[in-house]
Amino acid sequence: MLEAPLGRLRGIGPGRARALERLGLRTVGDMLEFLPRRYERAGQVRPIAALERQSRDLQRVRGRVAAVGGHRPRPNLHITQAAVQDGTGTLWAIFFNQPYLVERLRPGTDLVLTGRVEIRYGRLEMHNPQYELDPADDDGRGGLLPVYPATAGLSQKVLRASVRQALDVGRDAVEEFLPPALVDRLQLPRRDEAIAGIHFPEDEETLARARRRLAFEELFLLQAALALVRRRYVEDAEGIAHRPDPEALKRFYDALPFTLTRAQRRVVADVLSDMAAPRPMHRLVQGDVGSGKTVVAAAAIFNAVCSGCQAAMMAPTEILAEQHAASLQDLLGRLGVRVELLTGRLPARRREALLEGLASGEVHVLVGTHAVLDRQVTFRRLSLAVTDEQHRFGVRQRALLAAKGFSPDVLVMTATPIPRTLALTLYGDLDVSVINEMPPGRRPVRTRWLRPSQRGQAYRFLAEQVARGRQAYVVCPLVEGSEDGGAKAAVDLHRRLVRKLPHLKAGLLHGRMSGAEKQEVMRAFRDGEISVLVATTVVEVGVDVPNATVMLVEDADRFGLAQLHQLRGRVGRGSAESYCLLIAEPTTPEAEQRLRVMEQVHDGFEIAEQDLRLRGPGEIFGTRQHGLPDLRVADPFRDLELLELARREARRLLEADPRLR
Ligand code: ADP
Ligand code: MG
């Protein structure tokens, strides 16, 4: 029955079926899974005389059409007016551009109207109210009416009727797939009950129970999948037990230009102990920007190389990959480790030589972008895979990389400070270590929001810093919907800066430049040949030039909090006092609030939480680029308790039935 096409249902003709198909709804089953976005409380039917005149709430009346007429005040505007009476008064139902209603709402028609009351010239009106012509269908009790997210031109009334029909014929076919014992123990409604309840809940409590069941089911499936992944790559896999070598480790520490923070030492210890175990490591290292994750990766990599193995490190952009290669070269080169960089545009001859070196084991460490995943890349003995800025890599990419080795240890690093709720959803398959301490001598980046009228002041300050031998970033406005990622804005700003302040030696970096050009500009900036880097948000992630002390962001109100925090993280990486100047004329209270948060808050986790509060989970959760799974009912921010329950239950089930037979 669930497979039956909707066109076969009573009351759904070919036209309606086509409209439903545009919503992706073909079968009875599709219709049942088409979940309401919200609910309207229709409220009791009121006598017209008792309508609340001031209220903006939906109100509902039942009456009979006394008169109806239509007119066309402008060529593209048609107005239908129906006078509806119920014996206590008259209400005018006004409809725009639905001329056919003049025919449908003939005098004498009984109907129920739901809408907001408007007073015009002393008249009671409802504009485009919902109307139900078959009031027998309406029990007048009020209750919750589902509101569906998309309509493809269908009214909510039609959608509701279609769902009702689908429920009538399909409900009995809805199968329970959670283990019955689990459903009993957690006192969840059965699946068919929950589906019925989410569409037409009798009351708030039924709705809450239905929602909880469907949210649990979603989180449970996700957690079960993650637990399966984990079992496959961690628990069942035969890994390489890297012998820890205290002497080698000492050489590593001695060669460092600084001593590790306590947090770094703790995380390195977590990592090395994972690596020593015969099972593959599967660990996420979280640390705010600038907390020093690279050196943790370097320690792990050195440990792998000392065990006679190889390591790979993958980064989301070429700039970052290039920079990691340089940092690892710095940290490990003098210890005899050979680090090489592979990007998509390495010349064929050098690429070939590199691939040979990897296959023979002469090259110990490969750093690169997605090119590392290429089928032609083979290692002699890959035992460690590090991925940076994990949020841009999915589970699949991680698995691809892991598949290149003999169940290598996997280390994932992220600077995106995500609250625990999300970490569980995203990384349910990983163990987590947090670097919750900054290297010594770091001072919080002094952050100021300036009005565009103070722009001159901002650039004078920037020039002063440059005069003292410091460097600066100028980040260009985010151009909404621009196809070039803001490249034009960057080019323009760079041109103006060069003309007005030629002595600043400004360079330009944007996503439209070729890889070689980008790399050359970054090198020049790192080597101090350029003092000011005018850039789009391509500098957002991971760029590390400790001599840079000013981050100036133009039109800062257009950036999200997380992004501003990432941008700010590009400075304050040395011991010199650093500054973040946010130039903005915010047009919304939220944008203003973001700027204030930036001025006051420096901790990445706290910023992430403020971000949640300001934007709401939907916004953040709705963006696909975070690699978040597509949840329809559950909200991993609000449903933390349910998420943890789902995680426990999923692991418990897998314990009892490891193959989910
Ligand atoms: P992130 O966590 O953002 O990747 P990095 O690993 O790039 O941070 O480190 C940021 C900067 O801090 C680098 O310049 C690095 O050399 C430096 N650094 C890292 N750890 C320490 C430490 N324990 N003491 C001093 N400086 C450190
Ligand atoms: Mg980094």
Side-chain angles (χ1 to χ4, degrees), residues 3 52 115 120 129 146 170 175 228 251 298 313 327 416 481 624 652 660:
E3 297 295 322
E52 279 186 44
R120 293 290 144 88
E175 273 181 75
L228 271 177
R251 272 195 294 141
M313 183 164 186
S327 315
T416 313
R624 274 297 184 83
R652 188 162 160 175
L660 288 185

Side-chain angles (χ1 to χ4, degrees), residues 277-419:
R279 314 186 316 190
M281 162 168 75
H282 225 54
R283 184 169 292 275
L284 172 74
V285 171
Q286 264 189 351
D288 204 350
V289 280
S291 62
K293 293 181 292 295
T294 312
V295 67
V296 171
I301 289 170
F302 189 58
N303 188 41
V305 174
C306 287
S307 309
C309 300
Q310 291 163 295
M313 183 164 186
M314 191 157 64
T317 67
E318 284 193 7
I319 291 181
L320 246 192
E322 191 255 344
Q323 184 173 298
H324 278 318
S327 315
L328 291 178
Q329 181 59 41
D330 258 9
L331 292 167
L332 300 176
R334 64 193 111 175
L335 298 169
V337 176
R338 193 164 149 207
V339 180
E340 295 284 349
L341 175 70
L342 175 65
T343 61
R345 56 193 174 76
L346 199 64
R349 186 132 15 100
R350 288 191 39 209
R351 179 183 157 89
E352 220 157 276
L354 173 53
L355 293 187
E356 262 168 41
L358 283 168
S360 72
E362 256 168 82
V363 173
H364 303 114
V365 183
L366 182 66
V367 183
T369 55
H370 283 85
V372 172
L373 297 174
D374 200 295
R375 204 169 336 115
Q376 289 156 355
V377 179
T378 55
F379 294 82
R380 192 178 72 85
R381 194 158 190 238
L382 178 68
S383 76
L384 172 68
V386 182
T387 72
D388 191 9
E389 303 303 344
Q390 140 72 17
H391 59 296
R392 312 218 169 167
F393 286 118
V395 169
R396 207 180 101 77
Q397 274 99 351
R398 255 191 281 150
L400 266 177
L401 187 56
K404 288 195 172 294
F406 178 69
S407 300
D409 288 329
V410 174
L411 183 63
V412 176
M413 303 194 300
T414 180
T416 313
I418 40 179

